[in-house]
Amino acid sequence: MTTIIFPGQGSQKRGMGKELLARYPELAAQADALLGWKLAEVCQDERLDQTQYTQPVLFVLNALAWQAKRDEGAREPDHAAGHSLGEYNALLAAGAFDFATGVRLVRRRGELMAQAREGGMAAVVGLSPERIQEVLTRMGVDTVDLANDNSPTQQVLSGPRVDLERAAPELKAAGANVILLKVSAAFHSRYMRPAREAFADFLRGFSFAPLRFPVISNVEARPYEHGRIAELLARQIDSPVRWTQSMRYLLGLGEQELVEVGHGQVLSNLLKQIRQATPVPVPAPAPAPAPVAALPSAPPPRPAPAAEVRGTGAWRLGSEAFRSTYGVYLAYYAGSMYKGISSKELVIRMGQAGLMGFLGTGGMPLARVEEDLLAIKAALRGGEAWGMNLLHSIERPAREEALVDLYLRHGVRNVEASAYVQLTPALVRYRVQGLRRLPDGGVEAPHRIIAKVSRPEVARVFMSPPPPALLEVLVRDGKVSTEEARLARELPMAGDICVEADSGGHTDQGVASTLLPAMMSLREQLMAEYGYATRIRVGAAGGIGTPQAAASAFIMGADFIATGSINQCTVEAATSEPVKDLLETLDVRDVAYAPAGDMFELGAKIQVVRKGLFFPARANRLYALYQQHGSLDELDAQTRQQLQEKYFHRSFEQIWEETRRHYLRVDPEVVERAERNPRTKMALVFRWYFVHTSRLALSGSREQRTDYQIHCGSALGSFNQWVRGTPLASWRNRHVDELAFKLMDATAGWLELQLQPLLEQRLQALRGAA
């Protein structure tokens, strides 16, 4: 594939353009007449560096350079992109407007941007957007926006000149080279809003033709949709230039020849840096999310639907605040799945696509969690969204504390809290550490929690501020400051509540149509009670595998949705191929309920695959035996033989010795309790079966294949029915980010089909009444 890229402001050089202007005198004369001044003269004098002149000059010379290439035999490209002003040349090449229209557009754009006189810009070389944000946050500077993300280590900031000058020494101390640019205003920032609004009014006088080939938008780092050219050109003025994300999108499409058209090699040099930081581009359309999301004051990214389905408005579904807060394209995330089934590859893939996924840390050794966390951080260095799961463990609070220590040490900003029935000191510490008062009086919370809940009483805990008693303990132990504890009383424990209806894995078998409205009513009650400055968002999970299921959640008012089971049957999921081969064949009734191994004694339930498997029946039998007997010795001889030979394929003694050795390493008190209490020992022996059957499934072992334990909900069966007869029928063609875009695009399309007739009927009724 071939992509042409056009440079923008900053590529100009005194004396440029002589040959091109001489080669195309008619086009040069047409531009001179439209501009009211001579291009050839401006290219030779100091006016070339004044915005109102620079922009038209670069547009014309870029256009002539492309015309020259066409005259020399260059074929039409597969894609085009342009850096800031250069985007107008990309649109011209793709046929959105003619040469004269382009000149008129950039002339007015240059005039409006030149009128802005406040602020300045600074180039920061050597730091990522995330690291820049850390420095600015530490300094209390919230007036600066990310204007250009040119490469993973080259950013441009916009804002008040005094704040840029104040931040420069700290950025240099952090390892950056900082250059204050000679510009008249803070371009591509919130301070250009007046220019954007004026330009939007100007654009209303123009119409634009369909594009002959895709053009990548600076604002969204995805191809333009038909009908949105005027909108995106206006927004480009006060939005950041997402050049890194745009190039990563193109590289993710496959082998690319990127050809810079215009003066110099600025973009080619940036591309080298981006390629070096993106060694293995993903083969699917995958833009990275905007790093500007890490800068709280910067304009949030605007989402775009998947490249293959345009105009659906998927990005409009759900909460704009959710998309803005996390810096994602869709009000959607991929939930965690235990033992790393929602793998680092899954999380990275989602992040590179401008979406968010959570690593499934349940049942993973701490060292493995840290290893995967570091891999994710290394791959997502541009401020992309990602998160880690924090699974509540009643029996092992020390593990939870260790995970929180790990997350805080490595700067994990997003946590999905699951299986909580009450708050713990570790979770409260994660939420509260780093709270600070903003200049406007608000409270900045660097650590965000999405709480997965299925019971209103648990939702109430997360929608309320942290309990004062827990805060007092944390302050006393020196784990949070007095000021952090005081500020914590102004925030809910979780800014996002994910209401989980009947789902794969742990489930309370709740019904979405009753749970979601109840949680929303609770939200309104607690918002009024505590007077929070920011609205708590309530999303939905469980049973979402088709457009109709997702649409029902959004119609009920969900701010976002989360998926799980459907993601287990993708290339990126870290389970075995035999499991995925089975999962792609499931129907909606091929799942059943079984005891949860990690909460065996409590009788908690999980939803698992039953098609062709003995696990559900055998797991329920074990729980029934646990309820009926006080020890292994009470089991009759026939039952003992059946369990050891058919279920476990080893003796009780062998299982206990393996279990004992494990707990002596991680929690010796468990061994002591079991040796004092025969029933506890029996529970641990039975729980071994749950650990063993999970390992069988994850490894794809041929041993005891019918005992695979596979957590899964009926959503996957409905998804399989939806994609039957398409390439997605095979899991080998399913990628987690593509499923997200496909599902959300189809949801938006389905809603439009359903609602349009209702709107037409309403309009007819109104006309009849008139």
Side-chain angles (χ1 to χ4, degrees):
M1 290 183 286
T2 300
T3 296
I4 52 173
I5 51 178
F6 296 92
Q9 201 162 344
S11 63
Q12 69 271 16
K13 184 178 180 181
R14 193 81 58 86
M16 67 189 298
K18 287 183 181 179
E19 294 182 1
L20 286 171
L21 293 172
R23 183 173 176 177
Y24 297 101
E26 293 183 1
L27 289 174
Q30 183 182 12
D32 287 347
L34 290 167
L35 295 169
W37 40 266
K38 293 187 177 297
L39 287 158
E41 294 178 0
V42 170
C43 286
Q44 307 302 316
D45 62 35
E46 68 280 355
R47 287 178 293 173
L48 184 61
D49 291 324
Q50 298 175 22
T51 296
Q52 65 268 38
Y53 294 100
T54 310
Q55 295 192 16
V57 166
L58 289 177
F59 172 80
V60 171
L61 294 184
N62 284 347
L64 298 184
W66 175 236
Q67 185 61 51
K69 285 190 176 292
R70 295 303 302 271
D71 291 345
E72 293 163 5
R75 66 177 180 84
E76 192 160 272
D78 298 293
H79 301 84
H83 190 286
S84 191
L85 183 279
E87 191 166 304
Y88 287 76
N89 290 103
L91 290 167
L92 171 67
F97 43 75
D98 59 21
F99 176 76
T101 299
V103 173
R104 286 194 289 268
L105 290 174
V106 298
R107 179 188 66 185
R108 184 57 178 155
R109 182 182 189 265
E111 291 170 350
L112 290 170
M113 293 180 70
Q115 291 171 11
R117 295 298 178 191
E118 295 183 2
M121 302 179 77
V124 182
V125 180
L127 292 182
S128 68
E130 186 176 35
R131 184 73 182 102
I132 292 171
Q133 171 58 28
E134 290 176 2
V135 174
L136 297 178
T137 298
R138 187 177 68 248
M139 295 180 64
V141 175
D142 61 356
T143 56
V144 172
D145 293 347
L146 180 64
N148 297 357
D149 177 17
N150 289 331
S151 78
T153 57
Q154 186 185 127
Q155 321 301 323
V156 178
L157 303 180
S158 280
R161 191 172 296 275
V162 65
D163 290 335
L164 292 172
E165 292 173 350
R166 181 163 68 92
E170 294 292 331
L171 292 169
K172 289 178 181 178
N177 182 22
V178 182
I179 304 168
L180 295 173
L181 304 179
K182 296 179 180 179
V183 295
S184 60
F187 298 145
H188 293 293
S189 75
R190 73 188 93 163
Y191 304 101
M192 298 301 294
R193 183 62 57 85
R196 164 189 165 171
E197 293 173 350
F199 193 55
D201 290 338
F202 178 71
L203 287 169
R204 291 191 180 96
F206 295 84
S207 59
F208 301 97
L211 302 180
R212 296 194 303 273
F213 49 82
V215 173
I216 310 305
S217 158
N218 284 183
V219 175
E220 296 183 338
R222 276 192 174 263
Y224 270 86
E225 293 179 87
H226 179 62
R228 297 186 65 207
I229 291 178
E231 172 205 342
L232 292 175
L233 287 181
R235 287 175 49 206
Q236 191 210 56
I237 289 178
D238 68 346
S239 296
V241 176
R242 309 190 198 287
W243 193 249
T244 299
Q245 291 75 30
S246 297
M247 294 302 98
R248 282 178 172 165
Y249 172 85
L250 290 166
L251 294 174
L253 295 176
E255 189 64 31
Q256 282 281 355
E257 179 188 9
L258 288 107
V259 180
E260 185 167 1
V261 180
H263 182 76
Q265 292 293 304
V266 173
L267 300 183
S268 297
N269 292 333
L270 293 177
L271 182 60
K272 291 178 183 177
Q273 299 175 31
I274 295 168
R275 283 187 186 273
Q276 289 172 358
T278 315
V280 185
V282 292
V292 72
L295 302 175
S297 58
R302 290 297 297 271
E308 68 274 11
V309 185
R310 301 179 182 178
T312 63
W315 59 271
R316 294 186 178 91
L317 296 174
S319 165
E320 170 73 22
F322 181 91
R323 298 191 297 270
S324 174
T325 296
Y326 293 99
V328 292
Y329 289 104
L330 301 173
Y332 176 110
Y333 79 87
S336 59
M337 291 177 281
Y338 83 133
K339 292 187 179 294
I341 292 176
S342 52
S343 62
K344 63 179 183 294
E345 291 81 9
L346 184 151
V347 175
I348 291 168
R349 177 94 183 197
M350 289 291 283
Q352 289 176 334
L355 304 171
M356 180 167 60
F358 286 84
L359 183 74
T361 63
M364 287 175 60
L366 195 64
R368 167 76 185 285
V369 174
E370 184 168 23
E371 178 184 333
D372 286 3
L373 190 163
L374 292 174
I376 293 167
K377 286 185 66 176
L380 303 179
R381 292 180 292 180
E384 297 93 335
W386 59 278
M388 307 288 286
N389 177 240
L390 192 59
L391 182 68
H392 180 40
S393 176
I394 297 175
E395 294 182 346
R396 299 179 63 190
R399 173 180 166 82
E400 193 178 323
E401 290 283 353
L403 278 173
V404 167
D405 287 340
L406 183 68
Y407 295 168
L408 292 173
R409 184 165 69 250
H410 289 295
V412 174
R413 300 195 65 190
N414 304 314
V415 154
E416 182 193 53
S418 54
Y420 280 83
V421 293
Q422 60 187 16
L423 297 183
T424 63
L427 187 63
V428 173
R429 176 162 64 97
Y430 175 80
R431 174 61 164 164
V432 173
Q433 272 199 15
L435 295 180
R436 71 180 187 93
R437 179 75 68 190
L438 294 171
D440 64 3
V443 178
E444 182 184 48
H447 304 128
R448 297 182 285 254
I449 293 175
I450 298 179
K452 293 190 82 171
V453 301
S454 55
R455 300 181 182 183
E457 65 271 19
V458 179
R460 176 181 290 274
V461 169
F462 278 102
M463 291 182 186
S464 302
L470 275 181
L471 291 173
E472 290 175 9
V473 170
L474 291 171
V475 171
R476 184 196 64 199
D477 294 344
K479 294 183 177 180
V480 304
S481 69
T482 302
E483 174 66 5
E484 288 169 338
R486 187 176 64 81
L487 294 176
R489 296 182 175 92
E490 300 180 29
L491 298 175
M493 262 301 295
D496 295 280
I497 304 297
C498 185
V499 180
E500 190 169 27
D502 195 22
S503 62
H506 292 90
T507 178
D508 283 330
Q509 304 175 45
V511 179
S513 59
T514 56
L515 274 178
L516 197 58
M519 300 293 194
M520 289 176 174
S521 296
L522 181 61
R523 185 254 314 269
E524 300 308 318
Q525 173 189 334
L526 295 179
M527 284 293 301
E529 179 178 342
Y530 292 109
Y532 298 131
T534 301
R535 184 174 177 78
I536 297 170
R537 294 176 290 267
V538 177
I544 298 177
T546 61
Q548 294 86 348
S552 67
F554 286 120
I555 287 175
M556 285 191 289
D559 291 311
F560 59 90
I561 62 172
T563 56
S565 294
I566 66 171
N567 302 324
Q568 187 176 195
C569 193
T570 62
V571 172
E572 293 75 31
T575 192
S576 63
E577 290 193 4
V579 166
K580 294 179 187 179
D581 290 338
L582 174 59
L583 289 174
E584 74 176 27
T585 70
L586 295 191
D587 207 335
V588 292
R589 295 188 59 81
D590 289 331
V591 293
Y593 298 102
D598 58 343
M599 291 189 282
F600 180 79
E601 296 92 323
L602 300 178
K605 294 290 186 180
I606 52 172
Q607 194 166 193
V608 295
V609 174
R610 69 175 176 181
K611 183 179 181 180
L613 302 178
F614 294 154
F615 172 80
R618 289 179 170 177
N620 279 299
R621 173 92 186 285
L622 290 174
Y623 183 66
L625 291 172
Y626 170 75
Q627 288 182 306
Q628 296 163 7
H629 299 87
S631 71
L632 293 172
D633 293 336
E634 291 184 12
L635 301 175
D636 63 76
Q638 183 178 352
T639 298
R640 290 172 61 87
Q641 181 181 2
Q642 182 185 42
L643 295 184
Q644 294 176 96
E645 295 182 2
K646 300 292 187 181
Y647 287 31
F648 302 155
H649 291 261
R650 63 207 69 190
S651 68
F652 292 155
E653 290 73 19
Q654 289 172 316
I655 293 171
W656 171 243
E657 183 56 31
E658 181 181 331
T659 302
R660 181 176 174 277
R661 287 198 304 268
H662 168 74
Y663 279 106
L664 284 174
R665 290 195 307 269
V666 300
D667 193 351
E669 290 185 5
V670 173
V671 177
E672 294 175 9
R673 289 197 301 270
E675 290 177 342
R676 290 195 306 266
N677 187 332
R679 193 162 189 263
T680 299
K681 182 177 179 179
M682 178 173 63
L684 290 175
V685 169
F686 286 178
R687 286 173 66 166
W688 173 92
Y689 175 74
F690 293 82
V691 175
H692 179 61
T693 50
S694 288
R695 290 173 180 165
L696 293 173
L698 290 171
S699 65
S701 172
R702 295 182 180 277
E703 177 194 3
Q704 294 179 253
R705 189 163 180 168
T706 54
D707 280 291
Y708 282 180
Q709 179 186 174
I710 307 170
H711 296 188
C712 187
S714 58
L716 181 56
S718 61
F719 179 87
N720 288 339
Q721 293 295 326
W722 178 44
V723 299
R724 178 171 291 177
T726 75
L728 290 179
S730 169
W731 68 262
R732 291 171 174 81
N733 296 324
R734 300 181 189 181
H735 293 281
V736 65
D737 57 326
E738 294 173 7
L739 297 195
F741 282 114
K742 179 178 179 63
L743 179 61
M744 291 288 279
D745 283 330
T747 299
W750 187 85
L751 281 170
E752 183 177 352
L753 287 174
Q754 300 302 312
L755 296 177
Q756 188 62 36
L758 297 177
L759 292 174
E760 290 176 356
Q761 292 174 13
R762 179 61 177 163
L763 286 173
Q764 290 176 359
L766 290 173
R767 293 191 190 103

